[in-house]
């Protein structure tokens, strides 16, 4: 938000319901317009912030690839600029209302399309004050979220790497914008999942500035009473996250004027007067023109204000409403402060590098005090702001960065990490060539040596391991197997490769789904992740997972000798994993020169990976030089 727009907002605020200079009371476009001229009601007479209901969604802008229709977005943006209103862009990454042509692209092509979409928005809107970056990503909220997730890198080690990537992309383009994660019905549904998502990406260093609580669920499930969990859920989210909050899509859909009024009177002041609430956006205001049943969340019906709107006008003139504090004075972001530990999980006794990415828009940083569990571990005075910490005990650790500007103003950011017991191979070291039993993944902890989508073992073997979180163990193929797999879950195994070379795999698996399933195998060494293969599993039995078969193939890059980590990642759900046998195929090693390159250089060009210091030359398989194509 430019200084000119901010000043204009201050000069015109008295014309709107809210005169608080630090937090907004906004609304959305109605049928792609702001003013309802036919009814004589003017948007800017009521609201001081505007969100396009649909006009800035990807599907509305780029229905045909490469052709951008910014007409509706420009109408809202220009209206906001002319009337001194705050404009919010809604939304970049969402598993709904994206262009239909995206479905026909590969993950790599989808990623390029997302980059092009954000670049086009940056070119058209060089400056944006506030953005809903990712929308409704909690598992199950949108069926097509995997299309976006897969394109942006999947769950990864945090469980939410793709969301972190989206925020990094947005911050790179709009560093001064307030960046929001937005999700629906968090006051009644999936509150814990929402908290986990936001806290995880915050702790991992994502440039997220606030969380947005869509507020469409403000009545009880029967629609006859005010939502009973609203206040407790809002309190819980604040206590767990300690970040700025927005009520992003508030509405109370009912024909009962008194029930709507009761909800407004109980809920609006509780949000508005919270000093961590930066603003409220109502989701429509003209009866019959909102998304709820018959548009019954509207506040103006038959050209008459409903009681909830009359009360809202009166409340906004109270001292409590006028003087309510905001985490963003002037409705703008002064500080960008993000704490990024090298990992959100670390072994006890291992050094953990911590970076504070910090900048101030109009002020100058004097120093940054960095705390771990309230203990000052360093005062940082020069960028890059970096420190190290070595935890000595297992458990959860809190990080706090306190940024002090030269004028004494302070800004705070929280983060955190977990400390785990040392990673250990389960049931002994796995020597390769050899067999890896799927259930014998490394000892450790969730998001450290394995990741499961929930913390409950749904399998029929309950007592195989005590350290496996929610990983599901099932009876299969005469023993124990991994079952109930979901997209994004992963398991890691420490292996010791006795001889470098090309390896083949035989994976014993089952799948009862008619759509089949899929998984990937990667190798991790020195923090490099290299894909070895992707395995598509066809149905092994009709809706039964008791029939196992062997899927075989060859790794597309050779394995180096020595200890390293193999990761199995579920790319498509409903595959049972029994075991994996890895066999050495390339047994001959021959020094080969070419184009004046050293053996190491030639090997790297062919395979795209580092060469073990004891391994020189090119692998020869069946008398032929093996190429990575």
């Amino acid at each position: 938000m430019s200084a000119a727009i901010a000043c204009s907002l201050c000069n015109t605020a008295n014309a709107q319901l809210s005169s608080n200079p630090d937090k907004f009371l906004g609304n959305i476009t109605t049928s792609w317009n702001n003013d309802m001229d036919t009814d004589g009601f003017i948007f800017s007479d009521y609201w001081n912030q505007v969100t396009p209901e649909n006009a800035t969604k990807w599907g509305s802008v780029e229905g045909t690839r490469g052709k951008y229709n910014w007409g509706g977005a420009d109408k809202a943006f220009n209206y906001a600029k002319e009337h001194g209103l705050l404009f919010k862009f809604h939304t970049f990454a969402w598993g709904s209302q994206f262009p239909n042509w995206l479905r026909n692209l590969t993950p790599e092509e989808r990623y390029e399309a997302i980059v092009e979409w954000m670049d086009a928005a940056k070119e058209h809107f060089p400056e944006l004050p506030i953005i809903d970056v990712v929308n409704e990503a909690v598992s199950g909220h949108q069926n097509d979220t995997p299309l976006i997730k897969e394109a942006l890198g999947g769950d990864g080690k945090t469980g939410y790497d793709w969301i972190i990537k989206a925020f990094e992309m947005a911050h790179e383009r709009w560093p001064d914008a307030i960046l929001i994660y937005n999700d629906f019905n968090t006051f009644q549904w999936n509150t814990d999942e929402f908290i986990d998502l936001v806290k995880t990406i915050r702790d991992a260093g994502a440039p997220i500035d606030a969380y947005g609580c869509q507020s469409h669920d403000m009545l009880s499930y029967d629609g006859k009473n005010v939502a009973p969990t609203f206040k407790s859920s809002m309190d819980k989210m604040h206590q767990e996250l300690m970040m700025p909050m927005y009520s992003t899509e508030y509405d109370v859909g009912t024909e009962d004027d008194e029930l709507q009024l009761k909800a407004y009177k109980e809920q609006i002041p509780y949000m508005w007067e919270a000093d961590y609430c930066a603003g409220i956006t109502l989701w429509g205001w003209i009866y019959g023109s909102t998304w709820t049943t018959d548009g019954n969340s509207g506040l103006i019906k038959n050209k008459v204000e409903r009681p909830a709107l009359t009360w809202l006008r009166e409340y906004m003139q109270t001292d409590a409403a006028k003087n309510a504090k905001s985490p963003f004075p002037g409705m703008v972001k002064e500080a960008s402060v993000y704490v990024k530990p090298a990992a959100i999980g670390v072994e006890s006794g291992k050094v953990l590098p911590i970076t504070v990415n910090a900048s101030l828009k109009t002020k100058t940083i004097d120093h940054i005090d960095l705390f771990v569990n309230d203990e000052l571990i360093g005062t940082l005075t020069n960028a890059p702001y970096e420190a190290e910490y070595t935890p000595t005990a297992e458990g959860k650790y809190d990080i706090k960065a306190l940024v002090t500007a030269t004028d004494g103003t302070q800004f705070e950011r929280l983060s955190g990490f977990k400390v785990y017991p040392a990673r250990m191979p389960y049931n002994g070291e796995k020597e390769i060539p050899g067999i890896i039993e799927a259930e014998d993944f490394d000892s450790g902890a969730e998001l450290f040596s394995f990741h499961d989508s929930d913390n409950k073992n749904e399998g029929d073997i309950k007592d195989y391991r005590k350290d496996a979180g929610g990983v599901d163990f099932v009876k299969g193929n005469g023993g124990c197997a991994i079952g109930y797999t979901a997209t994004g879950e992963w398991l890691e195994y420490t292996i010791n490769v006795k001889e470098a070379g090309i390896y083949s795999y035989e994976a014993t698996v089952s799948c009862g789904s008619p759509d089949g399933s899929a998984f990937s195998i990667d190798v991790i060494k020195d923090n490099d992740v290299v894909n070895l293969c992707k395995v598509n599993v066809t149905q092994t039995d009709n809706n039964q997972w008791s029939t196992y078969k062997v899927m075989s193939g060859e790794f597309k890059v050779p394995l180096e000798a020595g200890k390293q980590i193999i990761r199995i990642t579920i790319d498509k759900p409903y595959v049972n994993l029994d075991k994996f046998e890895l066999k050495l195929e390339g047994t001959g090693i021959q020094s080969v020169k070419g184009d004046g390159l050293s053996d190491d250089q030639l090997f790297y060009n062919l395979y795209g990976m580092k060469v073990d210091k004891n391994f020189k030359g090119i692998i020869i398989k069946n008398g032929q030089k093996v190429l990575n194509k």
Side-chain angles (χ1 to χ4, degrees), residues 134-296:
V134 178
N135 198 44
E136 298 175 1
V138 167
S139 180
H141 281 194
Q142 289 295 337
N143 291 334
D144 287 328
T145 291
L147 284 172
I148 308 298
K149 177 196 295 188
E150 186 180 33
L152 292 175
D155 290 329
K157 288 291 287 186
T158 66
Y160 304 108
D161 279 13
W162 70 281
I163 300 177
I164 296 171
K165 178 66 174 177
F167 273 91
E168 290 172 344
M169 293 167 69
H171 181 67
E172 180 183 355
R173 290 162 175 79
W174 297 278
D176 294 328
I178 297 171
L179 304 181
I180 301 172
Y181 173 75
N182 192 49
D183 217 319
F184 72 84
N185 294 3
T186 53
F187 293 129
Q188 292 206 70
W189 304 345
N190 302 118
T191 302
D192 291 338
E193 291 85 350
F194 177 81
I195 291 171
D196 177 72
L197 187 158
V198 175
K199 180 182 284 187
T200 299
I201 66 173
R202 181 204 70 181
D203 289 355
I208 176 177
D209 299 303
Y211 59 95
C213 299
Q214 294 181 27
S215 308
H216 296 302
D217 58 340
M218 307 317 287
L219 296 180
S220 60
Y221 293 122
D222 62 10
K224 298 178 180 180
N225 295 284
V226 178
T229 61
F230 159 65
K231 291 182 180 180
S232 60
S233 293
M234 180 171 154
D235 291 347
K236 182 177 183 178
M237 285 185 279
H238 172 62
Q239 292 161 5
E240 292 282 346
L241 298 174
M242 300 300 290
M243 291 176 62
M245 180 201 89
Y246 288 93
S247 174
T248 53
E249 304 181 20
Y250 184 90
D251 54 29
V252 181
T254 177
E255 296 181 5
D256 186 333
D257 285 351
E258 290 305 311
L259 179 57
Q260 186 184 59
L261 173 63
K262 183 179 180 181
Y264 267 69
K265 293 174 72 172
E266 287 187 16
Q267 295 161 354
I268 294 291
Y270 200 77
M271 292 187 289
W272 188 263
E273 294 173 29
D275 57 11
Y276 57 89
C277 178
I280 300 174
T281 301
L282 276 62
W283 210 248
W285 60 305
I286 304 299
Y287 195 99
S289 297
T290 71
W291 78 290
T292 58
T293 304
D294 297 325
N296 62 2

Side-chain angles (χ1 to χ4, degrees), residues 283-348:
W283 210 248
W285 60 305
I286 304 299
Y287 195 99
S289 297
T290 71
W291 78 290
T292 58
T293 304
D294 297 325
N296 62 2
S297 62
L299 296 171
I300 295 177
K301 184 176 182 181
N302 298 326
K303 300 185 180 183
V304 176
E305 294 184 358
R306 296 178 74 182
L309 182 54
T310 301
W311 170 85
L312 185 60
R313 180 191 306 281
E314 295 170 352
Y315 169 71
M316 283 293 160
Q317 298 309 308
T318 65
D319 289 341
K322 290 180 179 179
N323 300 323
K325 295 181 179 180
S326 166
F328 296 114
M331 302 184 223
V332 298
K333 180 175 73 172
E334 169 64 37
S336 297
V337 183
Y338 315 112
V339 181
K340 187 177 182 65
I344 59 173
V346 64
E347 292 182 33
S348 178

